[in-house]
Amino acid sequence: MPEDRRYPARPFLAASVATFRDGRVLIATRGRPPMEACWSLPGGLVEPGESLHDAALRELREEVGVEAEIAAFVDHVEIIERDATGVVHHFVIAAFAARWRAGEPTPGPEAGAVRWALPDEVAQLWTTPGLAAIVTRAAAVLDGGPR
C-alpha cells in the first residue's frame, strides 16, 4: 500500500473475519506493525471498489489461505493511537462472523503464528483491542444468539 499508515490524513477502513470451525476461532499473530506479534483476526485494508464483505474474505485467503462463508456483520472496532504530535494510527475495522469452508491456515508475511482457539481463550492472550468481545459476539451470532 503506497499511502503511509503512520500519521494519516484520514482514517483507514479495514475488514476482518472471525472464522469458526468446530467451536474454535481462527486467530493469527500480526506479521507487521502496528502491534506486530499480537493475536488478531485475519483482515486488512479495503481496496477501492471492494465491499467490506469481499475485503474480509480476500484478506482471509491472502493472509492464511482459508476459505469461509460470512454469516453476519458483528461490529466495528476503532483503533486510534496518539502521541505528542498527533494521531499516529487510525483504523476503522468492520468485523464479520464466518464459518470455515476449506483450507488449512498457514502463516505468511502478514500473519505469523496461526491457531484455532476456543473463544474464552482469546481473553488470556495479548490481542488487538476489542478482540475478545468481537470473538464472543461472533460465536453468539453463529450459535443463533442476538446480533
Side-chain angles (χ1 to χ4, degrees):
M1 171 108 339
E3 191 171 356
D4 189 4
R5 294 182 192 184
R6 289 179 54 83
Y7 301 99
R10 59 170 179 77
F12 287 99
L13 179 60
S16 67
V17 58
T19 303
F20 285 82
R21 177 182 182 185
D22 300 325
R24 294 177 182 265
V25 65
L26 178 60
I27 56 175
T29 57
R30 292 184 46 80
R32 298 180 180 151
M35 301 190 78
E36 185 172 2
C38 82
W39 292 97
S40 188
L41 296 175
L45 296 183
V46 177
E47 296 177 357
E50 185 177 44
S51 72
L52 292 170
H53 177 278
D54 290 344
L57 293 177
R58 175 185 51 77
E59 288 287 344
L60 180 65
R61 260 189 319 277
E62 289 177 1
E63 286 188 7
V64 296
V66 168
E67 299 287 335
E69 179 182 333
I70 289 183
F73 172 76
V74 176
D75 204 350
H76 79 279
V77 177
E78 277 193 271
I79 309 293
I80 303 172
E81 179 187 340
R82 293 179 169 88
D83 68 9
T85 62
V87 175
V88 179
H89 295 107
H90 188 173
F91 296 93
V92 180
I93 306 159
F96 293 89
R99 291 180 182 86
W100 173 87
R101 289 292 173 235
E104 293 304 323
T106 56
E110 292 186 36
V114 293
R115 70 181 270 199
W116 294 99
L118 291 170
D120 60 353
E121 292 174 330
V122 174
Q124 308 306 314
L125 302 171
W126 179 48
T127 69
T128 51
L131 183 64
I134 291 294
V135 167
T136 298
R137 289 188 64 196
V141 166
L142 291 177
D143 288 340
R147 291 186 184 179

